[in-house]
Amino acid sequence: MNVPDHPQTPAQHAFLFADPAAHSLSPLMHRAAFAYAGIDGDYAARRVLAPDLPDAVAGLRASGILGANLSLPHKESVLALLDELTPAARAIGAVNTIVHKGGRLHGDNTDAPGFLAALADAEAPKGGLSVVLGAGGAARAAVYALKQAGHEVLIVNRTHARAQALAAELGGRAAWPETAPWSAVTLLVNASSAGLDAPEDSPLSVFPPLDPSALVYDMVYRPAETRLLRDARAAGLRTQNGLGMLAHQARLAFAAWTGVDVPVSVFLEALNPPAGDLAGAAAP
């Protein structure tokens, strides 16, 4: 699939490549950012099947294309199609943002810094013991970010071997849910797809007894309150869903494309109606 030509204005374009893509909130956010910045630009979500990804990425080299975001299932497979990778993207092994610079394509990962910015907004504990649930692309970004921020990280995944492999690659330790030191955990992060479009699905069969000061952060934002967050709130803990991360990673991608740092409030305000009515997942 080639990115379509745009002979008329707007003059600059960015895209989301994903499968599926129709649910994405990214066009709402980035169009608001273009308007705020006074830039003649547009952003469109494109459904790109895995076999079509090389052709779609090649189309980003055209004049007037700023770049693209990537979501499932393309964040890892795209690496071989790019000219350069930032140190973060290389270390994480996943790209969510492609930046077009003079015919060359640079791969970046704004999920990791976007996640840390969202944690700061939520006044998450700094340092301490954190547990990341999952071992896929989102979990890789979370583990990388938390290690960079000085957290001790445990990785819990339904397939323990994948947790072990991730820990060996990015740091941290793999743990079984039955033996993890839950009472010492001050940050619990769901980086799995559990709960996405399924309010009664949880990544944990039994909610654990965390430190009373703990924050439970779910990267899923559809539904706005997952079972994990409901269980955490019932235990008296603070909670946060993935909308903040979504907005911050979008802000960083937009700045990489345009050089303009639009306030994160612009991205968040574009996500009206209220969070409970929104569609999407923690990826762009």
Side-chain angles (χ1 to χ4, degrees), residues 133 156 158 177 182 188 202-208 227-228 231:
L133 305 175
V156 173
R158 290 174 180 175
W182 293 111
L188 175 62
S202 173
L204 295 168
S205 58
V206 177
F207 190 82
R227 178 183 162 192
L228 180 71
D231 289 347

Side-chain angles (χ1 to χ4, degrees), residues 204-266:
L204 295 168
S205 58
V206 177
F207 190 82
L210 306 183
D211 183 290
S213 68
L215 172 71
V216 178
Y217 192 96
D218 198 332
M219 288 186 176
V220 169
Y221 61 77
R222 185 181 69 185
E225 184 174 76
T226 59
R227 178 183 162 192
L228 180 71
L229 297 185
R230 292 200 309 273
D231 289 347
R233 190 169 292 112
L237 300 173
R238 296 183 300 125
T239 63
Q240 187 69 50
N241 68 19
L243 278 177
M245 178 180 173
L246 178 74
H248 277 292
Q249 65 79 25
R251 175 183 64 85
L252 294 168
F254 189 86
W257 294 327
T258 66
V260 180
D261 189 3
V262 172
V264 72
S265 59
V266 173

Side-chain angles (χ1 to χ4, degrees), residues 30-254:
H30 286 290
R31 289 168 184 167
F34 278 125
Y36 179 91
I39 295 173
D40 183 17
D42 191 34
Y43 184 106
R46 296 282 186 258
R47 184 188 181 201
V48 176
L49 303 178
D52 298 326
L53 183 63
D55 195 27
V57 170
L60 297 176
R61 300 180 189 275
S63 176
I65 305 296
L66 296 171
N69 287 133
L70 297 156
S71 191
L72 292 173
H74 303 312
K75 290 186 179 184
E76 297 175 41
S77 57
V78 76
L79 270 68
L81 305 175
L82 304 177
D83 299 307
E84 296 183 32
L85 298 174
T86 63
R90 189 177 301 280
I92 296 169
V95 165
N96 79 319
T97 300
I98 300 173
V99 183
H100 176 208
K101 298 180 180 180
R104 293 179 61 81
L105 300 179
H106 300 247
D108 197 0
N109 189 303
T110 65
D111 284 335
F115 172 57
L116 289 181
L119 288 182
D121 288 347
E123 299 182 351
K126 296 180 180 179
L129 180 61
S130 300
V131 168
V132 174
L133 305 175
R140 295 179 67 87
V143 171
Y144 174 85
L146 291 171
K147 292 295 292 181
Q148 292 290 307
H151 290 246
E152 181 184 356
V153 180
L154 296 181
I155 304 166
V156 173
N157 190 57
R158 290 174 180 175
T159 304
H160 190 66
R162 292 193 66 196
Q164 290 177 310
L166 179 53
E169 189 174 351
L170 292 182
R173 294 182 287 123
W176 297 95
E178 298 82 5
T179 59
W182 293 111
S183 62
V185 172
T186 57
L187 176 64
L188 175 62
V189 179
N190 178 34
S192 77
S193 61
L196 176 61
D197 291 325
E200 298 308 315
D201 189 16
S202 173
L204 295 168
S205 58
V206 177
F207 190 82
L210 306 183
D211 183 290
S213 68
L215 172 71
V216 178
Y217 192 96
D218 198 332
M219 288 186 176
V220 169
Y221 61 77
R222 185 181 69 185
E225 184 174 76
T226 59
R227 178 183 162 192
L228 180 71
L229 297 185
R230 292 200 309 273
D231 289 347
R233 190 169 292 112
L237 300 173
R238 296 183 300 125
T239 63
Q240 187 69 50
N241 68 19
L243 278 177
M245 178 180 173
L246 178 74
H248 277 292
Q249 65 79 25
R251 175 183 64 85
L252 294 168
F254 189 86

